Amino acid sequence: MCTRRLLIQALVLVSLLATASIALAQEQPNILWLSSEDNGPQLGAYGDAYATTPALDRLAARGVRFTRAWAAAPVCAPSRTAIITGLSPQTTGGHNMRSEVPLPGDMPMFPALLRAAGYYTSNNVKEDYNHPTPAGTWDDSSKTAHWRGRRPGQPFFAVFNSVTTHESQIRRRPHTAVHDPAKVRVPPYHPDTPEVRQDWAQYYDKLTEMDREVEARLAELEADGLAESTIVVYWGDHGVGLPRGKRWLYPAGLDVPLIVHVPQRFRHLAPEGYSAGKALDRLVSLMDLGPSMLSAAGIRPPAWMQGQAFMGPFAASPRAWLQAGRDRMDERVDMSRAITDGRYLYIRNFRPDRRQGEYLAYMFETPTTQVWKARHDAGQLTPAQDSFWREKAPEELYDLRADPDAVRNLAGDPAHRAALERCRAALRRHLIASRDLGLLPEGDMHRRRGTRTAFDLGRDGTAFPVERVLEHAWMASMRDAGAAETLRRGLGDRDAAVRYWSATGLRLLGASAVAAHEAALLALLTDDVAPRVAAADALVRHGSPQARARAFESLSALLDYRAVGHHATMLALDTLVALGDLAAPIRLAAAAAPAPGKDVPAREQEYIARLALRLREQAAAVTPMR
């Protein structure tokens, strides 16, 4: 094992040296990234008259803005994971929010490739990757990191991340509004209330504050005499930090601003069609940023990167599709995938039983979430607003030209059948080609990978038969009663993920399907964790009293993470929260589950405690209106 690791590292070193020699043979531009958190393209440059963003508007007037740019995930950590690796987070195993999964040693984060080519790489300051940052990625990643730390004349790649627009800042009170809440546009999926208007207006106020930070950073660049030798890229990491934006696969969660300015000296590296003030409608994923910067620096992006360069000598052909995924969001389990050709948005919900508005502690701190849920409970919402609090459809299809807010699901409309089938087929191809590890329950993924990386697991067709797992996951989540017999056979499959999806599918079909196959489901109560929990969920909801009692016993055995692992306990507790009052017989015992300490990765330590707290709130009939 040591010899193999040394060989891999030697090959990586040879590759980096070859890359560096190619890049050093040409003049290298400086590259400045200015990023902001939790905001979509609500900027003046994108036609939003309510926004006050003069610095970014000026930057867009001197450069280009991409009008169809998407995050690879609608939440910070997996989105930033895709950016720094140039890979889908579902391919590397970094798709859950938040998690900690190692990368293969021969797949460096892209700044390391710039560094090997002579660049000074600095990051100020947020990383938030779901993979530990390898040594050698940054020269400096800190609150003081700056291009000014480089050697004289050394080209730089400098990143400055603003947190001003983060979700937490939208709800911070007291706040004196600058933008008039009475004039803000309230999207049709949100109720029009004072609380919602204040959150939206405060979001625009924060955009203005962030814009001033951009102005100050660009002034530093000018003062240092670097403006004419520096490519400037501004991007947001995913959509707006309000419910149905951040964390969701709708335009408000995935659409991001992307502005690129290339000085005249390096205009030959600019994206195709570049001219000052132009809007480019090329499909771009934030996963493309890393390969694009490598290309601009004269470095051919590694073949293993899924991102595609949109500028520089190694620019790829325009994409036909963009893809994104939603997986575990903090303490709550979910799985949805999205794909777009720029006009149609197709969403495939593999857990249609999980409402969009499933309780999530951090999200419920936002006033908009609270008043929205209260209006739902009082029956005071329109259908477009109320759907957020209902179970999801297995498939969603939106015509973004006619419906930019994505509120009219066309999946059942015969007039759009051809578009549905085309998008569906494209997504299936992507899930197989990307070896989507989200098809495996989180704990099962870690169990299968053992000491290797999740990426390597994904390439092992024996350990992860992606086509067969996808077939059962797709079938299970469509809620097709005609699939019941196939799902029953899946309960005895040799693969645990197939058994998991088969049990989940029978549960989704309801009481009659569970009753018909109760004996087979009972047999899973001593199985691996994921199929065990799925079977217990089905039996608690629809089983006989005896089966329900055995299901509770099986779940109770998973409540101490020290004995079964924290992913197993998280899955069991998440299921009990979703069961609501049906979990009453063991709810208080589950709420006493031990909270992890330093024996669990820091990024995952708090979720068991959050789930236990929610169980206590449910037991006390405490509403989530905080």
Side-chain angles (χ1 to χ4, degrees), residues 238-258:
H238 54 73
V240 58
L242 287 169
R244 206 181 187 268
K246 180 178 181 177
R247 302 184 185 90
W248 284 274
L249 299 174
Y250 296 113
L254 291 174
D255 288 353
V256 292
L258 175 58

Side-chain angles (χ1 to χ4, degrees), residues 62 227-230 261-270 274:
R62 294 189 293 121
E228 297 308 313
S229 59
T230 303
H261 174 256
V262 182
Q264 187 63 45
R265 178 174 168 183
F266 294 106
R267 195 59 56 86
H268 60 287
L269 301 174
Y274 186 100

Side-chain angles (χ1 to χ4, degrees), residues 48 50 59 112 279 303 333 340 365 372 390 443 457 529 546 562 583 596 624:
D48 193 325
Y50 186 72
L59 183 66
V333 171
T340 186
E365 295 179 18
W372 195 1
R390 305 289 181 185
L457 165 65
V529 169
Q546 296 81 2
R562 295 167 297 188

Side-chain angles (χ1 to χ4, degrees), residues 573-597:
L573 291 175
D574 170 79
T575 299
L576 289 168
V577 169
L579 283 167
D581 287 343
L582 290 175
I586 66 167
R587 189 156 54 189
L588 287 177

Side-chain angles (χ1 to χ4, degrees), residues 552-565:
F552 280 133
E553 290 176 8
S554 184
L555 290 171
S556 296
L558 300 175
L559 298 181
D560 190 340
Y561 79 94
R562 295 167 297 188
V564 296

Side-chain angles (χ1 to χ4, degrees), residues 328-402:
R328 174 173 59 75
M329 291 291 164
D330 294 341
E331 70 269 27
R332 302 312 306 276
V333 171
D334 202 356
M335 182 189 172
S336 297
R337 297 292 179 264
I339 194 167
T340 186
D341 61 0
R343 176 178 177 180
Y344 285 99
L345 166 63
Y346 173 74
I347 301 174
R348 183 65 173 84
N349 296 307
F350 288 87
R351 292 299 306 266
D353 55 308
R354 292 300 175 97
R355 300 166 298 167
Q356 302 284 11
E358 202 78 19
Y359 181 81
L360 189 74
Y362 196 69
M363 179 185 74
F364 265 86
E365 295 179 18
T366 301
T368 289
T369 311
Q370 297 171 13
V371 70
W372 195 1
K373 179 61 163 59
R375 290 292 181 101
H376 162 73
D377 292 342
Q380 298 173 342
L381 297 175
T382 67
Q385 296 163 356
D386 202 52
S387 65
F388 187 75
W389 305 101
R390 305 289 181 185
E391 290 192 352
K392 301 187 288 284
E395 294 182 298
E396 301 176 61
L397 181 72
Y398 302 97
D399 182 349
L400 299 179
R401 289 183 190 170

Side-chain angles (χ1 to χ4, degrees), residues 39-193:
N39 67 276
Q42 287 81 31
L43 309 174
Y46 280 83
D48 193 325
Y50 186 72
T52 309
T53 51
L56 286 169
D57 297 349
R58 288 192 296 270
L59 183 66
R62 294 189 293 121
V64 293
R65 65 191 185 280
F66 289 87
T67 59
R68 298 197 294 183
W70 250 25
V75 72
C76 309
S79 176
R80 290 175 178 271
T81 296
I83 291 167
I84 203 68
T85 62
L87 286 161
S88 165
Q90 286 79 24
T91 296
T92 64
H95 49 286
N96 291 301
M97 175 69 187
R98 288 185 167 88
S99 57
E100 188 171 309
V101 184
L103 280 174
D106 56 347
M107 292 171 55
M109 294 176 173
F110 84 86
L113 300 176
L114 289 170
R115 195 163 179 253
Y119 274 77
Y120 179 81
T121 61
S122 64
N123 179 62
N124 187 334
V125 60
K126 183 169 183 173
E127 294 185 1
D128 201 16
Y129 318 133
N130 282 336
H131 306 297
T133 304
T137 301
W138 304 106
D139 285 288
D140 186 8
S141 182
S142 70
K143 292 182 179 179
T144 59
H146 201 287
W147 68 72
R148 291 171 178 165
R150 76 196 193 287
R151 299 189 308 270
Q154 184 181 11
F156 65 80
F157 171 60
V159 184
F160 293 89
N161 298 286
S162 172
V163 299
T164 299
T165 49
H166 187 264
E167 170 185 16
S168 59
Q169 305 307 303
I170 295 174
R171 61 192 182 217
R172 178 167 291 186
R173 305 291 191 270
H175 175 80
T176 302
V178 178
H179 288 80
D180 184 355
K183 296 180 180 179
V184 74
R185 175 186 181 267
V186 177
Y189 49 82
H190 279 168
D192 191 345
T193 72

